[in-house]
Amino acid sequence: MKLERISTFNKALQRAAAAAAFCAGLALLGNAAQAAGPIPVSKPALPFSKEVLDLAAKPEKTIAPPISYDPLSGYQGQSLAPTLGTSFLPYAPPAVSAEQAPIGAQPVLYLVAKLAEGTPNLTRGLKWRVYSSKENADGSLNMVASSQDQDAEFRLDPGTYLVHTSFGKVTATTRYELKSGVKTGTIILNAGGIRLDAALGNDQKMPREDVRFNIYDMTYDATGDRGLIASGIKPGELVPVSAGTYHVESRYGDINAVVRADIHVQAGKLTEATLYHQAGNITLKLVSAKNKTSLANTSWTILSPGGDTVASGNGAFLDLTLAAGTYTVMARNNGEMYRDEFTVNPSVNNVEVEVLAENPM
């Protein structure tokens, strides 16, 4: 009887052990299923995902790298490459296979842009537009999504799309076919930048509000004109352009103080140039021969040495910015015409030129 009780007790122990092992197996299977579940494809709130970095670990004390700033890309070294422990990885959407993607989830298109191979990702100034590849009856395409600045993340229905990327005057169009999961891409724009300034030939700084630049293509059209890339550019303004050579025009004032130069731009590089003018500012006034008072209601015509009209105007005073050289001035007042000559020298200072109202023509 005693042996039967012991045998029964041992069997009960064996059944309890088997039940515990079965429950433990279920728990392990539950954890494995959870680990193999769909990985989120949306960008985490933190700059780096928890799957990439163990933020709970206490890293060794490190010295932050110096901040390097690229005016073209907006790249700032410390923010893009923080040091946590001994290794780091920048954020990118995790690779999700078709099997791992949630049922019914839309495919994700994640894109970044670079000026050139090996340069940092652009972080500002970008515009992204996504178009359906199916043409309308009139041949146009429907825009289905858009984004600005930095990287672009689009959740779209399966299909084929055209992505238009623009950075200033630089554009690129890329075709993508989406089926499921996450598709990533890097747009290489093959572009650089131009930053322009102007000065007088004697290194005097010019008033920036009076200087504007135009950038032209090197080729000519059927009418003999160059293609205009950008106009009305202010000194110091950064203009992104495709890599290549450009014809640059600097205008001081709005008459004939113009300087031109050809500038080459490399991909991923910023080209800075200063164009030097030979010009000056003058104020014309017709004065009475008796008391040197200015005469109102005067009509002005300024001629080049070759006799071409350079500028004209009306009033007691005429303010002009002209290229350095000698000019002829014709002043008409009260039915009489007066003629004189004056010379413009390079200077940022304003020079008054008096035309004496005597000996009319």
Side-chain angles (χ1 to χ4, degrees), residues 75-242:
Y75 171 70
Q76 190 168 340
Q78 189 173 2
S79 63
L80 288 183
T83 302
L84 294 179
T86 58
S87 64
F88 60 86
L89 289 173
Y91 167 78
V96 179
S97 65
E99 292 77 13
Q100 292 175 314
I103 298 175
Q106 289 180 304
V108 175
L109 178 61
Y110 177 81
L111 301 172
V112 296
K114 298 175 181 287
L115 290 172
E117 291 282 1
T119 61
N121 295 345
L122 291 167
T123 60
R124 57 189 175 87
L126 284 167
K127 292 184 179 179
W128 306 86
R129 297 179 178 89
V130 182
Y131 295 88
S132 172
S133 62
K134 297 180 180 179
E135 293 186 358
N136 298 320
D138 59 357
S140 63
L141 299 176
N142 293 326
M143 187 173 72
V144 297
S146 64
S147 179
Q148 285 190 237
D149 292 335
Q150 300 189 27
D151 49 1
E153 184 176 317
F154 302 105
R155 296 176 182 273
L156 304 165
D157 294 329
T160 303
Y161 298 91
L162 297 176
V163 179
H164 183 270
T165 310
S166 62
F167 179 59
K169 303 298 178 180
V170 184
T171 61
T173 302
T174 316
R175 187 184 189 92
Y176 289 97
E177 184 177 356
L178 303 182
K179 295 181 179 179
S180 61
V182 176
K183 192 176 191 67
T184 63
T186 300
I187 310 300
I188 304 299
L189 294 172
N190 190 35
I194 297 177
R195 179 177 283 155
L196 301 169
D197 204 349
L200 289 176
N202 50 9
D203 283 332
Q204 293 186 67
K205 286 294 183 182
M206 304 167 66
R208 288 192 159 195
E209 63 273 12
D210 296 332
V211 179
R212 290 294 181 269
F213 300 95
N214 298 321
I215 299 176
Y216 296 90
D217 197 354
M218 292 296 292
T219 58
Y220 295 90
D221 59 20
T223 61
D225 297 323
R226 297 181 188 267
L228 181 63
I229 304 297
S231 62
I233 303 164
K234 300 176 182 179
E237 183 178 344
L238 180 61
V239 184
V241 293
S242 298

